[in-house]
Amino acid sequence: MSMFQTGLSGLSVARSALMTTAHNTANVYTAGYSRQTALVSSNGGTTTGAGFIGNGARVTTVQRSYDGYLTAQLNGAEAAGAALASYGSQINRIDSLLADKTAGLTPLMQSFFASVQGVANTPADPAARQQLISAAQTLANKFRATDQYLTDLNGSVNDQIEGSTGQINTYAKQIASLNQQISQLSAMAGGQPPNDLMDQRDQLVSELGKIVGVKVLEQDSGQYNVFIGNGQTLVLGDRAAQLQAVSSAADPTRKAVALVGLTGTVSELNDDVIAGGSLGGLLAFRAETLTPTQNAVGRLAMALGSEFNEQHKLGVDLNGVLGTDFFSQAAPGVFSNARNGGDMVLGASVADTSQLTTSDYSVQVKDVAGTLTYSVTRLSDKQPMGDFTSFPASFDGVSLSPASGTAQAGDSFLVQPTRTGARDMDVLVRDTAKVAAASPLATGKAVGNKGTGALSPAVVDSAYLATPLAGTVTLAYDAAANTLSGFPATSAVTVTLADGTSTSYAAGTAVPYTAGASIRFDGIEVKLSGAPADGDTFTIGKNAGGVSDGSNALRLGALQRKTAMDGGTSTFNGAFAKLVSEVGNRAMEIRVASATQEGVTGQIRASRDSISGVNQDEETANLLMYQQMYQANAKVIQTASTMFDAILGIRG
């Protein structure tokens, strides 16, 4: 090769290097761009008697500065950060809602029970009774408003899921298209990589990972296969699958993500399969916080309403009539899976509000040795609740029974015991005269009694409603036998001493008298005190008016301190405070985790950028270096031309 050609090769190398450097400088702020470098190699030499004479240089390829490991690490970190950011923005809304100290549920419950105490203090005052009804309506309205807010939040999550699937589909199509272009252009260029298209593809994968966690596998051909979930194919070479937001087969109130496979089959994905990215954060928020919170608020409404109703029905109003339900009560919801083969409709009822949890339940129908078996699982912790072959099936305060139809093996049902508890809460008693503030029974003693014996005010329970007193019961004391007689011949009488020892006596028989003992019959309980004289009588009869009696209102007010939730370990305020604390703590955990993840992501990005990023100072230095190289090779060509002209001149 001549000196002229050697100079031309150097000039070409310098020109290519200058163009590559200029390209880097132009793309210094291009998202996802990787710095490119022209790789130069020698053209080898030509043998002569004096040895090998070099033939210049050539550019073998333009290589991008790229680290696949760091890129994958950064994509994973960004996906985790996007999930936490999505989760955090949603949970903060619930945290603010529940922690409201002025218009939240806690101050309204306190105000409600304060108004109950007001009726107990002045049972005949219509203003106090109206204040109770108004406070109850305000509380019920707050429960419904809270539920509506959470329902709207669920609708917002559904909308965001639909939007996310659309974005994922767009990115998947673009990645598949770039796969095809990269493969074709690389083949046309003899295997040289189309760096800019590869950067664009990596950037799309990065943007996709911010929506949903992905795994990328590079084929030998250089094409990417992209997977989501636990291995579901989203992109396979130049083909892209599609995602759809569909109504969940198990719960039509929420959207689920379905994968439309390359063959056109539609498969609904479980929420816990999708992790990472804003979509994964949304699904985690719905499963871990939104649904349990809505269930917890509903459970609180159901427990408070049930306890208040039960006690209210044990009192009488101003007309002497037994009380009715004060609050309306929700019924558990049961959804049949849309893919069920049978037509069974399951019904559910609440057996014990104190045992209710904040979880939903799954019922799976199985064929076990020819017998249909209903397996119940608590979804919050995947705890099996038992296998049932007959109904009613009871678990965690819920009772299931078939309403109609027949099930088939493989069918499933979703049970939501408390989801609509707050939504369906309302005040049924609007007439102040119908507030059952008084006890249904009044106790007394004969005017002529000579002893100091007395009966406490009567306390009744739900058994009394089944067999209310038909008339006044008169108890007589026999000093010789030290007994009381005159009890109805309808049920046994139980005497409980102060030390807790209980003894039952046959219906209609006399019972021993012990001061301080409690006597119970037909759902009625009274306590004995003092020392009666022989022949003293005591009465237990219906409370006809109840105008000046607030004893039942006192018991209604005492419900505020009753441990009526969480298996009898929490009060209403305690259960709600626990919910507020759980949500607040989780929100704080998400904020801390998000801040930590941002730091980790920043470190990984800095490491990647140190390899792939464009450094303007370095590129400026390269420009000067390659400019000098260009000028030097131009000088070589000029020298070769001068020598050639000199040779021609000699010959002439």
Side-chain angles (χ1 to χ4, degrees), residues 494-527:
T494 301
V495 177
T496 303
L497 303 180
D499 63 2
T501 304
S502 296
T503 306
S504 293
Y505 298 88
T509 61
V511 301
Y513 175 84
T514 303
S518 296
I519 296 179
R520 176 182 172 80
F521 64 95
D522 289 340
I524 304 168
E525 184 174 348
V526 293
K527 180 174 286 190

Side-chain angles (χ1 to χ4, degrees), residues 387-435:
D387 295 336
F388 303 91
T389 57
S390 61
F391 292 98
S394 299
F395 51 90
D396 284 350
V398 181
S399 180
L400 289 181
S401 293
S404 63
T406 305
Q408 292 184 8
D411 289 355
S412 64
F413 303 87
L414 177 67
V415 182
Q416 297 176 339
T418 62
R419 182 68 56 86
T420 62
R423 184 198 70 183
D424 295 343
M425 187 181 195
D426 200 0
V427 179
L428 300 177
V429 175
R430 305 296 177 94
D431 185 348
T432 57
K434 293 185 178 180
V435 175

Side-chain angles (χ1 to χ4, degrees), residues 306-353:
S306 176
E307 291 290 337
F308 201 88
N309 285 348
E310 291 304 312
Q311 187 59 52
H312 190 257
K313 289 187 291 187
L314 297 179
V316 292
D317 59 21
L318 291 178
N319 301 314
V321 178
L322 284 171
T324 58
D325 282 339
F326 192 87
F327 291 105
S328 59
Q329 285 287 93
V334 182
F335 292 102
S336 300
N337 194 291
R339 294 190 289 268
N340 281 0
D343 61 353
M344 173 179 280
V345 176
L346 272 180
S349 61
V350 175
D352 185 355
T353 55

Side-chain angles (χ1 to χ4, degrees), residues 87-107 142 145-146 149-150 153 285 289-290 293 297 576 579-588 591:
Y87 199 132
S89 66
Q90 300 295 329
I91 195 173
N92 287 337
R93 298 170 64 181
I94 295 183
D95 189 27
S96 299
L97 171 72
L98 298 180
D100 190 338
K101 295 182 179 179
T102 57
L105 283 170
T106 296
K142 183 61 179 179
T146 301
Y149 184 91
L150 297 174
L153 193 53
F285 159 74
T289 300
L290 177 56
T293 299
V297 174
F576 186 70
L579 170 64
V580 174
S581 176
E582 288 176 348
V583 173
N585 288 338
R586 189 176 297 120
M588 177 61 71
R591 283 194 291 271

Side-chain angles (χ1 to χ4, degrees), residues 16-28 33-38 63 65 609-627:
S16 297
L18 280 169
M19 292 178 62
T20 301
T21 302
H23 187 55
N24 289 339
T25 304
N27 287 279
V28 63
Y33 178 79
S34 299
R35 179 170 57 89
Q36 297 180 11
T37 304
Q63 183 183 66
S65 300
D609 289 348
S610 67
I611 296 174
S612 301
V614 177
N615 185 304
Q616 288 182 311
D617 293 337
E618 182 181 351
E619 298 304 322
T620 300
N622 288 339
L623 280 173
L624 294 175
M625 181 179 65
Y626 294 135
Q627 182 183 13

